[in-house]
Amino acid sequence: MNLSRLHILPNSAAKLALNFTFKTSLRQALTGGGTSGSFGVPAERDTRQSGPDLETLDSFALERWETILHYMVSSGTGQHPTKPSQGVLFLLQRSGLMGSFYGGPLQITSAGFQFLLHSPHAQLWDLLLQYLHLAEERQMDLVEVLGFLFMLSTMDLGREYSIENLSTTQKAMLEDLRDYGLIWQRNVYAIVDPTRLGTTLTSSSPPLPTTAGAGSGPKEGFIVLETNYRIYAYTDNPLQTAVLNLFVSLKYRFPNLVVGMITRDSVKKALMNGITADQIISYLITHAHPQMRKNNPLLPVTVQDQIRLWELEKNRLKSSEGYLYTSFTSQADYELVLNYAKQLDVVLWENSAKRCFFGSLEGHSRIKEFIERRTQNPNS
C-alpha cells in the first residue's frame, strides 16, 4: 500500500511491477546512464596540463585532515597550530567538539576527545552529519547535499570530473569539501579531483593513505604504560604526541619515542577541559602496544583507579551562583518562603535550624518579589 501511494508500484492486485518512470530513473541512477550523472561527469582530458597524481591527492587529503585534528588537540594549550578555515572552525564549535572556556580560545571538549577515539572513517562521517544539520540551517537542499556526497563516493580516484552539471547548492559545497580534504581543485574551477577521503565515504577501504591520524594511530598500538605511571609512546607522529599532551606530562622526545608521566596535575588539566577519566582510560586501552595486550588486565589497575580517584577529587565540590536567604523573623515566615522556592525548584541548600537557605541565581527575582509582596501585605 505504501509503495503504491508513492507511485513506485502500480495499484493493481493482479501483479506487482515497478512504475515505469521510477524503474527508468532507478536504472539510470544505478548505471549512471541518462543525464542524471549519478556517478559524476568525467571531464575531458587537458593535454596541456595533467591532473594531480595519487600521491599529490593523498598528501593533500592527509594535510587538510590532520590540520583539523591537530588544531583540535593543540588550540588553547599554548601552542600555535595551523588554523583550519572559518567554516571548519564554525562546524567544530557548533558540533560541540570544541568550545571556549571562560572567554578563552577554542579548546577540545569531552565530545571532541571522544571524537578522537573513533577511526578516521567514523570521524569523517561525524563531521559530515553535523554538516548536514548546518546545511539545513543554511536552507540548503538536503537531498542535493546527500546526493552530492553519495556521488562523490562513487567517483574514481585519480580521475577528473566536471562541475558544470552540479546544482547551485552542490557548487556551494565545493569550498567546504575542499576544506575537509574530500576534493582537490586547481585554479580551473570547472574541474575537481576527488581524494581518497571522498571516494571511500561509503566503502570499508581506509580513507587515508596511512593510519597516522589521531583517531587510529598505528594499527598495532603504540603506548606502553607502567605501574609507576610512566608512559612510553612509540611514535613520531606530532598528532599522536599532541593528543597525549592533553593528559600526560611529557618528559622526553626521541626520534621514534615519547616518554611522559601521568600525574595529578596532567589529569586535572584534562578534567578541566571536559575530558573524563573513562575517556583517558579508553584511549590508553585502544592504543595499547601489542606487548601490553599480553597483560591481564591490560592496564595496571592501580593506574586506572588513581585516574578515577583524581576525577572524584575534582567532583567533590561543586560551585553554584546564587543568593543566601537568612534573618527570617519567624519559623513560619521561613517555611513559607522556603516552600515557595521549592515550588520553583531553585533551592540548592537549606538549614532549618538556622532558618536559612541558598537559592539559585535564576530564581532570585521571583523570590524577592514574593518576599516584598508578603512584607507589604502580610495577610495575602
Side-chain angles (χ1 to χ4, degrees):
M1 288 295 292
N2 290 333
L3 293 177
S4 297
R5 199 177 301 119
L6 293 171
H7 303 290
I8 294 175
L9 292 176
N11 192 8
S12 171
K15 62 178 182 178
L16 294 177
L18 289 175
N19 177 280
F20 178 77
T21 304
F22 177 80
K23 181 170 62 176
T24 304
S25 300
L26 180 62
R27 183 185 293 115
Q28 289 180 350
L30 293 176
T31 61
T35 58
S36 63
S38 55
F39 296 157
V41 179
E44 295 183 6
R45 289 191 174 275
D46 188 347
T47 55
R48 295 169 300 176
Q49 185 177 9
S50 60
D53 55 21
L54 295 185
E55 186 178 349
T56 301
L57 291 175
D58 285 342
S59 298
F60 172 78
L62 193 62
E63 182 269 328
R64 288 296 172 101
W65 190 246
E66 291 203 339
T67 295
I68 295 173
L69 298 184
H70 206 288
Y71 183 80
M72 286 181 64
V73 299
S74 301
S75 178
T77 61
Q79 303 179 43
H80 301 284
T82 304
K83 266 191 176 184
S85 68
Q86 286 300 318
V88 172
L89 293 179
F90 184 70
L91 183 64
L92 292 175
Q93 193 169 12
R94 284 296 301 273
S95 60
L97 300 179
M98 298 190 76
S100 179
F101 300 94
Y102 310 108
L106 284 178
Q107 288 182 284
I108 192 169
T109 62
S110 177
F113 191 80
Q114 189 66 38
F115 172 84
L116 294 177
L117 299 179
H118 299 161
S119 67
H121 198 271
Q123 289 173 347
L124 181 58
W125 269 109
D126 281 345
L127 276 187
L128 289 178
L129 288 174
Q130 295 297 333
Y131 181 79
L132 288 176
H133 291 301
L134 197 61
E136 199 169 15
E137 292 180 17
R138 291 162 62 184
Q139 298 183 336
M140 298 170 73
D141 189 332
L142 284 182
V143 175
E144 292 187 357
V145 173
L146 274 172
F148 190 30
L149 292 177
F150 288 129
M151 180 198 299
L152 194 61
S153 69
T154 62
M155 292 180 177
D156 293 331
L157 184 64
R159 173 176 282 190
E160 295 183 328
Y161 289 85
S162 171
I163 66 171
E164 291 179 359
N165 291 348
L166 298 182
S167 66
T168 305
T169 296
Q170 292 170 340
K171 288 179 179 177
M173 293 172 60
L174 293 176
E175 184 178 352
D176 296 324
L177 298 181
R178 207 165 53 239
D179 291 338
Y180 305 146
L182 272 68
I183 62 171
W184 184 91
Q185 235 179 338
R186 58 175 135 170
N187 294 332
V188 183
Y189 284 97
I191 296 175
V192 297
D193 292 79
T195 67
R196 200 180 301 270
L197 274 175
T199 58
T200 57
L201 278 175
T202 56
S203 76
S204 57
S205 302
L208 294 172
T210 68
T211 52
S216 60
K219 274 189 176 180
E220 67 277 7
F222 61 98
I223 294 175
V224 173
L225 175 62
E226 296 183 334
T227 54
N228 60 359
Y229 304 94
R230 189 177 289 273
I231 273 188
Y232 298 92
Y234 293 90
T235 179
D236 57 1
N237 186 283
L239 204 49
Q240 292 166 352
T241 304
V243 174
L244 286 175
N245 191 45
L246 293 173
F247 60 90
V248 175
S249 176
L250 301 181
K251 303 295 184 184
Y252 315 107
R253 296 191 189 190
F254 300 104
N256 194 34
L257 175 66
V258 177
V259 183
M261 290 279 291
I262 295 180
T263 66
R264 180 177 179 274
D265 288 340
S266 66
V267 172
K268 184 179 177 182
K269 180 185 70 174
L271 295 172
M272 289 294 290
N273 290 337
I275 300 170
T276 66
D278 284 339
Q279 287 176 332
I280 294 174
I281 293 169
S282 177
Y283 185 85
L284 294 172
I285 291 174
T286 302
H287 300 288
H289 193 277
Q291 201 68 28
M292 288 281 295
R293 299 190 181 278
K294 299 177 182 179
N295 301 338
N296 187 19
L298 195 150
L299 297 183
V301 176
T302 52
V303 178
Q304 294 187 58
D305 289 345
Q306 186 58 67
I307 292 173
R308 290 193 173 99
L309 284 173
W310 282 328
E311 183 179 47
L312 291 174
E313 181 181 298
K314 170 186 174 290
N315 297 335
R316 230 176 5 179
L317 296 176
K318 183 180 178 182
S319 62
S320 299
E321 292 187 15
Y323 289 85
L324 180 66
Y325 301 90
T326 185
S327 302
F328 291 93
T329 56
S330 66
Q331 184 69 20
D333 286 342
Y334 164 72
E335 290 179 356
L336 190 66
V337 177
L338 176 64
N339 290 334
Y340 177 75
K342 284 182 176 179
Q343 289 176 9
L344 299 177
D345 195 25
V346 296
V347 177
L348 302 177
W349 173 85
E350 61 179 287
N351 189 324
S352 298
K354 295 184 178 180
R355 292 183 189 171
C356 61
F357 70 90
F358 188 80
S360 67
L361 201 62
E362 294 78 12
H364 175 65
S365 59
R366 297 181 67 178
I367 294 175
K368 181 181 177 183
E369 290 175 3
F370 180 77
I371 294 174
E372 289 175 348
R373 286 201 308 268
R374 290 288 306 170
T375 304
Q376 293 169 4
N377 189 4
N379 297 324
S380 62

